Amino acid sequence: MTVRMLAEKLDLECISNGDGNREVTGCYVGDLLSRVMGSAKEGNVWITIMSNVNVAAVASLADVSCIILAEGVKPDADLEAKLEIVDAALYTTPMASYEIAWKIHELIGV
Amino acid sequence: MDSLHLHFDIDGSDFTSAGEAASELKRVLRQLGFPPEIIRRCAISMYEGEINMVIHANGGTVDVYIDSDEIIFELIDSGPGIADVELAMQEGYSTASQEVRDLGFGAGMGLPNMKRYTDQIIVDSIVGVGTAVFMSIKLE
């Protein structure tokens, strides 16, 4: 399933489009940035409540397919500006991390 | 093939620019046609090194040498040094401030991630003088 299709099914609010055609390979939930870089796999959806500018660098370097900010978190202005140069799309949703991850599992089966 | 050398000065003054050297390295490796997994390992190792320099050492330098059989990183800083390198290499050990932790760093995964994603790492540190980290990623 592509990032764009997943976002539509989960009714996510799009902050930055990124490459919506990327294939979603799974999901990683975490807020400690080095943990994310150590454990998130290429193409994963990254669910977090972190919203500072470093999220863009981590998403890019860990090569996740998209970022979902949970619990209604909005990105800092710095983060939004930096996303223009990142492939990963950024979404926000009122849902909590567990609910998002559970729904992603139902949609993609991993 | 002659070795390709890249030099980066890491600005230690703020977190917003951290990652720019790693992003630049990623872009170069992509242009050179390296496999995505090699690029990812290089980028993450480099970023962790960058972040360490910003958090602890007020910046430093990174030199990357791209050879036909390996990519070598030399990270040098004039920071406070690491008193116990073995302890610093353990997952979860961190001396980062609360301010740094609030930004999502300081998980104690920096050096462990650098070790995980490289084939060889040597950390040479003298308290009060600085730290040098040498990393190598082998190319098949």
Side-chain angles (χ1 to χ4, degrees), chain A residues 52-71:
Chain A
N52 65 55
V53 66
N54 305 107
V55 166
V58 169
S60 167
L61 300 172
D63 214 6
V64 298
S65 56
C66 73
I67 310 155
I68 302 177
L69 301 181
E71 299 183 31

Side-chain angles (χ1 to χ4, degrees), chain A residues 31-42 50 52-55 57-64 78 82 87, chain B residues 15-16 18-20 22-23 26 30 36-37 40 43-44 47-48 91 102-105 107 109-110 113 116-117:
Chain A
D31 305 312
L32 292 173
L33 302 181
S34 285
R35 285 271 169 195
V36 177
M37 281 198 294
S39 302
K41 306 277 191 303
E42 187 183 346
M50 274 288 163
N52 65 55
V53 66
N54 305 107
V55 166
V58 169
S60 167
L61 300 172
D63 214 6
V64 298
D78 284 350
K82 198 103 175 186
D87 283 346
Chain B
F15 279 95
T16 51
E20 281 177 7
S23 297
K26 186 179 174 183
R30 234 184 217 173
E37 190 50 32
R40 190 168 181 271
I44 290 174
Y47 184 59
E48 292 287 12
E91 290 190 6
D102 288 345
L103 289 170
F105 296 109
M109 293 298 293
N113 273 351
R116 175 190 297 194
Y117 284 117

Side-chain angles (χ1 to χ4, degrees), chain B residues 18-92:
Chain B
E20 281 177 7
S23 297
E24 173 64 13
L25 174 67
K26 186 179 174 183
R27 194 185 61 76
V28 170
L29 294 176
R30 234 184 217 173
Q31 276 182 350
L32 292 171
F34 283 97
E37 190 50 32
I38 292 284
I39 296 174
R40 190 168 181 271
R41 289 170 61 198
C42 288
I44 290 174
S45 304
M46 175 104 170
Y47 184 59
E48 292 287 12
E50 259 186 88
I51 289 294
N52 277 348
M53 285 179 177
V54 176
I55 292 176
H56 300 289
N58 198 30
T61 60
V62 181
D63 288 277
V64 183
Y65 300 91
I66 303 166
D67 284 316
S68 55
D69 58 345
E70 65 178 335
I71 300 176
I72 297 166
F73 300 77
E74 292 179 3
L75 300 91
I76 314 283
D77 70 59
S78 307
I82 304 168
D84 188 336
V85 171
E86 206 177 317
L87 194 57
M89 295 295 286
Q90 285 180 19
E91 290 190 6

Side-chain angles (χ1 to χ4, degrees), chain A residues 1-102:
Chain A
M1 179 175 290
T2 65
V3 167
R4 192 175 294 121
M5 285 165 65
L6 185 90
E8 278 172 20
K9 298 229 183 246
L10 295 178
D11 196 21
L12 305 175
E13 182 189 334
C14 182
I15 307 277
S16 167
N17 274 314
D19 180 2
N21 293 321
R22 282 195 69 177
E23 196 68 20
V24 172
T25 59
C27 177
Y28 185 82
V29 183
D31 305 312
L32 292 173
L33 302 181
S34 285
R35 285 271 169 195
V36 177
M37 281 198 294
S39 302
K41 306 277 191 303
E42 187 183 346
N44 277 185
V45 173
W46 173 25
I47 305 171
T48 184
I49 52 167
M50 274 288 163
S51 57
N52 65 55
V53 66
N54 305 107
V55 166
V58 169
S60 167
L61 300 172
D63 214 6
V64 298
S65 56
C66 73
I67 310 155
I68 302 177
L69 301 181
E71 299 183 31
V73 168
K74 303 289 184 212
D76 295 357
D78 284 350
L79 172 58
E80 220 173 320
K82 198 103 175 186
L83 283 165
E84 288 170 16
I85 54 165
V86 176
D87 283 346
L90 178 74
Y91 301 99
T92 181
T93 174
M95 287 187 282
S97 300
Y98 174 73
E99 190 179 359
I100 306 166
W102 172 54

